[in-house]
Amino acid sequence: MKVKRDFLRKIVEEDLRLGKYKKVITRFPPEPNGFPHIGHAKSISINFGIAKEFGGLCNLRMDDTNPTTEDIRYVEALKDAVKWLGFEWNGDVKYTSDYFAQLYEYAKKLIKMKKAYVDSLNEDEIKEYRGSVTTHGKRSKYANRSVEENLYLFEKMKEGKFRDGEHVLRAKIDMTSPNMKMRDPLLYRIRRKYHFRTKDSWNIYPMYDFAHCLSDYIEGITHSFCTLEFENNREIYDWILDNLDLKSPRPYQYEFARLNINYTVMSKRKLLELVKGGYVDGWDDPRLPTIAAFKRRGYTPESIVNFCESIGVAKANSVVDMSQLEFSIRDDLNLKVPRVMCVVNPIKVTIENYDGFEEIDAPFFPPDVPKEGSRKLPFSKEIYIDRDDFSENPPKGYFRLTPFQPVRLKYAYIISCQKVIRDAQGNIKEIVARYYPDSKSGSDTSGIRVKSAIHWVELKSSKRVELRIYDRLFKCENPKGVEDLNPNSLKIIKNAFVEPSVINSNEVRFQFEREGYFYKEPVDYCEANPVFNKIVSLKDSWAKKAEFRQSSNISKKTNTKEQIDGEVKPLTKEEQLLFDRYTQELKLNSEVANTLARDKNLAIFFEEALKEFDLAPAIANIVSNEVARELKQKGAERLSFEPKDIAKLVKMIDKELISTKIAKQVFEEMCKSGDDPEDIVKRKDLMQISEPTLILPIVDEVLANNPINVEKYRSGNKKLFGFFVGQVLKLSGGKANPKVVNELVEQKLNIKL
Ligand code: ATP
Ligand code: MG
């Protein structure tokens, strides 16, 4: 991977280079007080990811120092999450409670060094004595206790001789420190509670600041990564480890920004509220941002890890858009799952001139997905189509079935509507249609033009299924609480119909064509009631809504960046110079030139690529489209390719080593893996085939398979030429050189028999 190193990786790399540590050991240290969420996935992918990358190890440590909120159930959920995301922890799961005895000894050592004391102020007094950001704190009078008295009291605290809150153990640091955290921080508190692992053995529990650094040290952790809110705790972390005179090497703490996502809540406390209050159906309710929910909904672990990598590691907090997560899911599923048909809102169609039954071969994957497989689609006189795919009074631009407009049944025939049958209330109950026998997909010679293809299922062989359609759990970007819940976040459809291959398949994830990606509900699915969860839609419907909002009058004011009252913002002087250079000197078309000139990052990228390979129009094209999209999504810092890689890609197109279609596929791969385009082409065997002797057999095959069309072409239907070329390209997996294919098809078709 050539992804730019983030600052954490740079630190690790440098430490290894300087020999500070022999081996990297990180840890993921959750508190088992709730189910892990997508924020934890980020921390997991950083800690486990870095360890893996540098040949080290990562511990999974339950930070179980608060007996009141923790539970074994959460431990299991955390283990599940790490495993599901594809990571392996070092040895056994570790627990801070394993170290309670050692920590107790370290505390006594600090007391003996006169660096810790038992304080007997109450909670309010402790707060008051701490001072504020603008005023110094004041040390407690108990800080003068002798070592013996402190040891004695500390032991009695441990034995449970005092009530909760009666005493605490504190570090003696500095009540005037500008860092409030350093004003004699608490090290231990009394909690006479049952602990899920140590049971009743302890009546005192170490505070995070004391337990964490020492647990890290005990485990031999080298790099202790945590989120930004612990920045001020770092000084305590260092103080404790340094003052205890420990054998080196010791760990160091580094902070990174928490992941926040809009339209959801992410703290375990808020999630617990939703679960306990019955607002959702348990911790794995598919609408929650927990890992268990993602798993149940059908998200893939790869897409979560990809997402965590794509958002990068930064030092400043920010909010990531939910659609970016959804993009990662879609992006992953697109290349993996079979396409099948499911009619969500069925209406019966009777094809009056069709008799009998046939099975139609239909591929599971579109041509641009490099996977194989097909199924037989039953077809008969009676089918279901979606109610939305028929309109008696079609709005302008409606391309589907109407009383006056035929439509193609995907993979099958073209049908036209003959009549509509209504029930007593006047609702459409059934459509009577006719089909065109010579319009079968793949060998259509009917000459009928349709504007779209719709999905359908054969009535008798199809199977009724339940669909659970999820939307965002909250209706606003930054939800405060349950008052912002989206009332429509779950819709249940009881009466959808799928083609039989879905039920008989071993696959668990599908794309229901035109409807979205779906997952076999792992808990509730049964033969009598097959249930599917909607994983994600095919397109980002929220973006459309947002765009709509933007272009409507309501928010026109916020949309002043590029447009001012419908007029295009004039170019600045600098931009104008660039624009002139691009249009006049480099002969780019003005649209491309405009895009490049207005975006400084793009322009720089373009100029750099141009230095590598001097083919301005081709480079400009890909930079102003594909690169611009990536740049917008990820930012310049996180692009996984460089200008020279794009130059290489264009060079391959120019030399006709790959087609422009394949180039797009290579580009997607570059975005994902950061690999060199030439390596990708080699690895995936995408080299364009221009050798006629390799293409001829494919042309022959296509002609042999379509004798009727060949005959029609030869007897004058020249429009079919494109059909043959398309079939050959498809059969070659998009690798055949279109120019050569054109020539060969032409030759073959025009041979006089
Ligand atoms: P929450 O506030 O959701 O309860 P937490 O920080 O209390 O989270 P822990 O169980 O203590 O949860 O966290 C375990 C690890 O995961 C910590 O290192 C923490 O910094 C990290 N982590 C928690 N939330 C996020 C997040 N949103 N983004 C990145 N890392 C996170
Ligand atoms: Mg917490």
Side-chain angles (χ1 to χ4, degrees), residues 357 377-384 456-463 498-500:
F357 177 83
L377 277 174
F379 185 83
S380 80
K381 197 179 183 69
E382 293 177 323
I383 61 170
Y384 287 128
W456 55 277
V457 295
E458 195 269 335
L459 188 138
K460 286 207 187 70
S461 59
S462 66
K463 174 97 181 163
V498 290
E499 54 166 278

Side-chain angles (χ1 to χ4, degrees), residues 28-31 37 39-40 42-43 225-227 229-230 256-259 266-269:
F28 170 60
E31 185 183 356
H37 48 64
H40 292 103
K42 174 172 176 180
S43 177
F225 302 123
C226 64
T227 33
E229 68 272 23
F230 293 101
F256 64 91
R258 263 181 113 73
L259 167 64
M266 217 131 74
S267 90
K268 283 179 285 191
R269 187 179 53 76

Side-chain angles (χ1 to χ4, degrees), residues 271 471 478 484 615 736:
L271 293 171
D471 198 349
N478 186 13
D484 293 324
L615 192 64

Side-chain angles (χ1 to χ4, degrees), residues 709-749:
N709 277 358
V710 172
E711 212 167 288
K712 294 208 170 178
Y713 177 88
R714 287 188 175 142
S715 55
N717 187 351
K718 298 293 172 202
K719 275 194 207 140
L720 280 167
F721 189 79
F723 161 78
F724 292 111
V725 171
Q727 292 288 311
V728 174
L729 288 175
K730 194 168 153 189
L731 208 57
S732 75
K735 292 195 292 188
N737 183 336
K739 254 200 256 164
V740 181
V741 173
N742 262 290
E743 282 164 21
L744 293 177
V745 169
E746 161 112 57
Q747 272 175 29
K748 281 276 174 177
L749 280 175

